[in-house]
Amino acid sequence: MSNAGLSSTRRQRAWGGLVGVALLLALWLLWLLGPAPGGAPGPQPTVTILVWHWPFAEQPPELPHNTCTPYGLAHCRLSTDRSLLASADAVVFHHRELETRRSRLPLAQRPQGQPWVWASMESPSHTHGLHRLRGVFNWVLSYRRDSDIFVPYGRLEPRLGPAPPLPAKSGLAAWVVSNFQERQLRAKLYRQLAPHLRVDVFGRASRRPLCADCLLPTVARYRFYLAFENSQHRDYITEKFWRNALAAGAVPVVLGPPRATYEAFAPADAFVHVDDFGSAFELAAFLAGMNESRYQRFFAWRSRLRVRLFSDWRERFCAVCARMPHLPRGRVYEDLEGWFRA
Ligand SMILES: *[C@@H]1O[C@H](CO)[C@@H](O)[C@H](O)[C@H]1NC(C)=O
């Protein structure tokens, strides 16, 4: 009996050990495989983007929790509530307000490892004070294609359905300018073109200012729109190209980055680039002497593509959420000015 008793105790111990090892194995496997297949996935955590200053506005717009849902980002929340600094997943700083209000960055309250985003849609010529922002920002949001969060002013997308008819044309070339400065290249080119080409000038800097809703119907009546950027910089193509010309139904005559940059955004035959001509006289002769069939070729893209404008800051900031999972952590723009001026 005593022998049998002893052996049964041994058997129990052996079984106990086996069950223990099996349990450990099972736990290890569970840990390795993650949630059991077929199990319900956990709720996706909401990403909070704190916008430190709403661009060009005293009052931020209403930002309901579902602000980013129309852009396909249901789990992304924008807020301007600065008390969220300690917990926000990323903080966006719009440059213009850093520049003009001389606001201090909340560096002392910055949580360790919190990504900070520098945001601007202006060109380097109209951006000041970058030297004060060394070693602060992790990501850049801008129109530059090499930005961490790239937000162009516009884009061509596939068109579903037929294109609306082109507006009827009654004028040759229109230009809208609100800030005319002789030292700018666009002013010089206009001065050279004007003797050879009838250009109707609108906007605050002219005798014909336009109300906000009048701009598109007005320029749509012209065959060409002078989409001259205020300064010439890498990738700097603004709403003058996308909205005032392509979306309005006028052919853009562009002065900006090189032709190759425009061709990265739009078909090569959708615009006239001033660099294609040896002189302003040649450009004027090309525009004024064009026959109707040649002119219509500039609109070949319209049957398959449409213009999508990105002008809403909400959409631009929601793009931070979309890009975040793909962005490097821990990198810092030590020389933001050098990067932006390159
Ligand atoms: C229109 O202009 C194009 C390019 O200059 C030329 O090749 C074409 O023959 C012209 N068509 C007519 C009908 O004059």
Side-chain angles (χ1 to χ4, degrees):
M1 276 308 276
S2 68
N3 268 357
L6 209 113
S7 77
S8 109
T9 317
R10 270 201 201 124
R11 231 179 284 131
Q12 273 168 13
R13 280 214 196 109
W15 273 113
L18 260 175
V19 168
V21 167
L23 247 167
L24 277 175
L25 247 167
L27 278 173
W28 174 73
L29 265 173
L30 262 175
W31 173 80
L32 211 70
L33 297 174
Q44 201 177 327
T46 293
V47 172
T48 299
I49 308 294
L50 172 58
V51 180
W52 199 249
H53 304 106
W54 199 265
F56 309 108
E58 286 302 320
Q59 283 290 316
E62 289 280 313
L63 296 170
H65 262 258
N66 60 1
T67 298
C68 296
T69 306
Y71 314 121
L73 297 156
H75 301 280
C76 179
R77 171 188 175 205
L78 299 185
S79 178
T80 52
D81 178 357
R82 292 185 178 182
S83 70
L84 295 174
L85 178 62
S87 62
D89 296 289
V91 185
V92 183
F93 296 85
H94 182 247
H95 183 73
R96 179 55 62 87
E97 286 73 24
L98 293 182
E99 184 181 288
T100 56
R101 293 188 201 162
R102 308 239 161 230
S103 12
R104 280 172 194 276
L105 292 163
L107 285 164
Q109 292 86 43
R110 181 181 191 172
Q112 175 100 41
Q114 183 180 62
W116 278 15
V117 184
W118 179 83
S120 180
M121 295 297 281
E122 303 297 320
S123 83
S125 293
H126 295 88
T127 303
H128 307 284
L130 283 179
H131 60 277
R132 294 196 302 262
L133 303 175
R134 295 180 71 88
V136 172
F137 292 100
N138 307 101
W139 301 331
V140 163
L141 180 157
S142 87
Y143 60 83
R144 274 261 298 261
R145 280 175 289 169
D146 57 345
S147 301
D148 302 287
I149 301 123
F150 166 52
V151 282
Y153 278 86
R155 184 168 77 196
L156 292 177
E157 292 184 343
R159 183 191 288 282
L160 311 166
L166 272 180
K169 304 295 177 185
S170 56
L172 186 55
W175 189 32
V176 176
V177 60
S178 53
N179 179 18
F180 187 93
Q181 292 181 37
E182 293 289 353
R183 63 180 172 80
Q184 291 181 344
L185 200 53
R186 62 178 178 177
K188 293 197 181 97
L189 184 54
Y190 167 74
R191 291 264 184 243
Q192 292 169 1
L193 268 176
H196 311 294
L197 184 76
R198 168 151 186 189
V199 179
D200 289 350
V201 184
F202 300 92
R204 262 185 291 145
S206 75
R207 264 167 276 134
R208 282 174 288 195
L210 286 174
C211 77
D213 293 336
C214 313
L215 190 143
L216 291 191
T218 302
V219 302
R221 291 189 279 106
Y222 288 83
R223 287 160 73 86
F224 299 97
Y225 180 80
L226 306 188
F228 291 180
E229 300 300 347
N230 63 28
S231 48
Q232 286 61 52
H233 295 282
R234 182 168 166 176
D235 295 348
Y236 188 59
I237 301 174
T238 68
E239 79 290 340
K240 294 170 179 62
F241 177 73
W242 295 110
R243 178 174 174 269
N244 303 7
L246 291 185
V251 173
V253 179
V254 302
L255 168 70
R259 171 170 267 283
T261 305
Y262 285 91
E263 289 185 10
F265 288 94
D269 57 1
F271 58 91
V272 177
H273 199 296
V274 301
D275 289 353
D276 295 344
F277 300 87
S279 67
F281 176 79
E282 278 176 38
L283 170 59
F286 176 74
L287 299 179
M290 190 178 301
N291 64 33
E292 193 54 29
S293 62
R294 175 69 190 88
Y295 180 69
Q296 289 299 326
R297 269 179 30 210
F298 282 104
F299 296 105
W301 60 273
R302 285 177 96 246
S303 61
R304 55 196 169 84
L305 299 165
R306 61 182 280 273
V307 179
R308 167 89 196 281
L309 301 171
F310 296 96
S311 48
D312 193 320
W313 280 102
R314 280 169 292 204
E315 181 167 19
R316 290 170 179 164
F317 293 145
C318 290
V320 177
C321 278
R323 287 287 299 143
M324 253 173 91
H326 314 288
L327 293 178
R329 296 274 171 164
R331 194 187 64 183
V332 176
Y333 282 82
E334 290 300 343
D335 183 10
L336 185 60
E337 177 156 46
W339 177 84
F340 198 46
R341 302 219 178 267

